[in-house]
Amino acid sequence: QVQLVESGGGLVQPGGSLRLSCVTSRIIFSIYTMEWYRQAPGKQRELVATITNGGSTNYADSVKGRFTISRDNAKNTVYLQMNSLKPEDTAVYYCSAFFVSRDWGQGTQVTVSS
């Protein structure tokens, strides 16, 4: 069974930064497309960023220029660097691994507030 464990969430002031990490196990990490999603209270889960097994990236318009997704295949880890955070970035952030099917982590809370 695939395991995905997120960390790095917390409370940060507007304009601040956080780096989320997602460590995976029981998968051949390098062949997976890795993604970060988020879900704010009362809203649907939305795709934030994608990185393919070849390293291509894509971002939601709302985070372009502020967030960066990266991966370290040697550490089976995907990261989400979040800069210039805004209150509307407040959500639970989920890591996802996709190959034939999709697996999810348990989520990490990010709260942007003064």
Side-chain angles (χ1 to χ4, degrees), residues 30-80:
S30 61
I31 69 174
Y32 276 71
T33 289
M34 300 300 298
E35 296 175 316
W36 287 96
Y37 285 76
R38 67 186 181 187
Q39 187 166 19
K43 295 187 177 181
Q44 289 189 331
R45 191 172 296 190
E46 64 172 348
L47 177 62
V48 175
T50 300
I51 185 165
T52 68
N53 55 8
S56 298
T57 60
N58 196 33
Y59 299 92
D61 287 343
S62 59
V63 306
K64 280 182 182 177
R66 300 189 297 122
F67 290 12
T68 302
I69 189 171
S70 61
R71 66 191 297 161
D72 185 336
N73 289 344
K75 295 183 178 180
N76 289 356
T77 302
V78 62
Y79 304 97
L80 186 67

Side-chain angles (χ1 to χ4, degrees), residues 89-111:
D89 295 318
T90 295
V92 178
Y93 283 71
Y94 297 91
C95 172
S96 169
F98 178 78
F99 185 57
V100 175
S101 60
R102 185 178 302 284
D103 293 280
W104 298 94
Q106 82 289 348
T108 185
Q109 176 71 47
V110 172
T111 302

